[in-house]
Amino acid sequence: MTPPLTTRLRVRPDPVVLGAPGTSRLAFRVQSLDGWDAVRVEAPGATSVREAKVAALAALEPGAEPDLFVVKHRGHEVTDEAQAVSAVGVRDGSILSVASRRRRPVR
C-alpha cells in the first residue's frame, strides 16, 4: 500500500514505526511547528497520542521534554493525550502538529 501524499511530502526519509510487526497501522504526519520539520508516523490506531508525540519528538527534536509541547489535530489542542490516535480522529493521511506549550520570542 502506498502511503497518502501528506505523509510523503517533505518529511524525513525514514518513518517512525510504532507497534508490533504485522499489525494494521495508520500512516500519518507529525510536524513540528517550531522547527518547520515533519516525520511520517506509522502506528496502530490504538496508539496513544502521547506515545506518538514522544516518538515523533525523539526524531524531530532530540532531547526535547515532551511535557513542554502540545499536540493539535485540525487546529484544536488534544487535551487528553491518553486517548488513542483513532479516537481523536486521526486516519491515514492526517496531520498532527506539535508545538511548544509556550510561545518563544523570535530573535
Side-chain angles (χ1 to χ4, degrees), residues 42-83:
E42 295 176 2
T47 303
S48 72
V49 173
R50 177 155 178 87
E51 221 179 317
K53 175 177 86 169
V54 169
L57 277 174
L60 294 170
E61 297 188 32
E65 178 61 42
D67 291 332
L68 299 178
F69 291 83
V70 296
V71 177
K72 294 183 179 184
H73 178 56
R74 295 185 179 167
H76 300 283
E77 182 179 346
V78 178
T79 55
D80 182 8
E81 293 183 359
Q83 287 183 323

